[in-house]
Amino acid sequence: MRIYDRYSDDKLEELGLSGKLPKHVGIIMDGNGRWAKSRLMPRPVGHRAGMEALHEIVREAHCLGLEALTVYAFSTENWQRPVQEVNALFGLLTEYFAKEIDELDANGVRIIALGDLGPFPEKVKACMTDAIERTASNKGLRFCIAINYGSRAEITRAVRLIARSRIEPEMINEDLISRSLYTGELPELDLIIRTAGEQRLSNFLLWQAAYSEFVFTPVLWPDFTPEEFRKCLIEFMKRTRRFGKVVE
Ligand code: IPE
Ligand code: IPE
Ligand code: MG
């Protein structure tokens, strides 16, 4: 197990990253299946390679000092995949946390789940809740894993929570809705990266993406390295964000 230091200002400058880094980055980790197919391997082989890429990217996000990293690991629509693939994904997820938890915890990473853990097998649920509880008071990178996550389900859940609280309709505002989402405690989503070339959200963080920047890369997720990640951040830093205002 290793402790990884944050990059110094000099190191960030050397990497071309001195300036305003995003606080919160979301990643749609796509392309595991195509990666495996191109090697004539079954899709779960691609998911395993994807887990290895994830390990590197979480470490990089920590070293860069990002406040939050949200990764899309399993959507509410992904239940429609063959049961063998779904089970392989759950197995990998359990394995990932069993293997990584000590190092993540030692580096001050806080693990957060976005999505409904209810329908998962007990073993998956147990390893996730264990990781969440164990790291709950950590103050470093917030590593949010969107599993059984769909933005429409998230918004529906938030509306139900608000309705149950019997609040006066006039008291419902954007801030209350934001706070009722799974991401309620997280900083604004500055950047969404999607790998593997597709240019769509696939039900990821619809509300939160209102003013996010988007970077699409053709690189398949298992081939997405810290260097590719930094290229996306450099691209983000070149953008002018206007938020509807006039910016000279
Ligand atoms: C992303 O890779 C991982 C998950 C959706 C769980 P895919 O499995 O969607 O890979 P492609 O898009 O088929 O290549
Ligand atoms: C989005 O990828 C979901 C995850 C990355 C977990 P998909 O591969 O499921 O999305 P579509 O089907 O191409 O829109
Ligand atoms: Mg896909």
Side-chain angles (χ1 to χ4, degrees):
M1 186 178 55
R2 282 188 56 184
I3 304 294
Y4 296 95
D5 290 333
R6 294 263 300 266
Y7 291 147
S8 63
D9 289 346
D10 285 349
K11 176 75 181 172
L12 286 173
E13 195 168 342
E14 182 193 318
L15 294 170
L17 285 165
S18 51
K20 208 162 183 273
L21 276 166
K23 283 187 179 165
H24 183 184
V25 178
I27 306 185
I28 303 175
M29 310 184 288
D30 197 19
N32 296 350
R34 278 163 276 176
W35 186 92
K37 194 173 177 200
S38 71
R39 288 164 175 74
L40 307 175
M41 308 255 233
R43 297 174 58 86
V45 176
H47 295 314
R48 177 171 290 283
M51 287 287 171
E52 282 157 24
L54 180 61
H55 168 85
E56 301 277 311
I57 298 306
V58 175
R59 190 178 62 206
E60 187 67 15
H62 160 79
C63 293
L64 288 163
L66 303 188
E67 283 184 31
L69 175 75
T70 297
V71 299
Y72 204 7
F74 191 84
S75 74
T76 45
E77 289 74 41
N78 287 149
W79 293 103
Q80 297 167 74
R81 295 189 178 202
V83 68
Q84 299 87 330
E85 182 176 347
V86 171
N87 287 337
L89 275 165
F90 294 164
L92 280 167
L93 207 65
T94 318
E95 189 185 315
Y96 176 85
F97 280 105
K99 213 159 70 184
E100 305 278 333
I101 183 69
D102 288 340
E103 190 169 290
L104 290 170
D105 190 23
N107 282 281
V109 175
R110 176 173 173 194
I111 295 157
I112 296 169
L114 313 182
D116 177 13
L117 295 181
F120 288 111
E122 282 311 318
K123 207 173 159 203
V124 184
K125 247 192 294 202
C127 92
M128 282 297 303
T129 42
D130 179 53
I132 292 164
E133 282 167 16
R134 190 171 146 186
T135 61
S137 59
N138 286 352
K139 300 279 179 272
L141 173 73
R142 282 184 276 183
F143 171 34
C144 315
I145 178 144
I147 39 170
N148 192 22
Y149 175 87
S151 211
R152 289 183 173 183
E154 176 188 41
I155 294 169
T156 307
R157 173 182 168 273
V159 171
R160 282 200 190 125
L161 288 173
I162 293 169
R164 255 188 235 122
S165 74
R166 301 201 178 280
I167 190 171
E168 286 298 318
E170 291 69 29
M171 301 296 285
I172 300 173
N173 55 28
E174 293 182 11
D175 189 50
L176 176 64
I177 296 174
S178 291
R179 282 187 283 112
S180 307
L181 300 173
Y182 288 118
T183 50
E185 305 281 304
L186 297 171
E188 284 288 335
L189 182 68
D190 296 309
L191 168 66
I192 294 180
I193 298 170
R194 183 168 185 148
T195 60
E198 247 67 66
Q199 302 193 358
R200 55 176 170 257
L201 280 174
S202 303
N203 208 6
F204 184 57
L205 302 175
L206 305 181
W207 172 279
Q208 298 84 342
Y211 270 102
S212 307
E213 295 295 323
F214 291 83
V215 173
F216 300 103
T217 163
V219 177
L220 303 177
W221 176 250
D223 294 327
F224 193 73
T225 56
E227 197 187 344
E228 293 293 339
F229 185 36
R230 292 194 298 266
K231 277 191 208 159
C232 297
L233 300 179
I234 290 168
E235 169 64 33
F236 166 85
M237 288 162 85
K238 285 189 203 147
R239 305 268 174 95
T240 305
R241 302 181 79 193
R242 283 187 281 275
F243 302 100
K245 293 176 269 197
V246 176
V247 174
E248 298 301 334

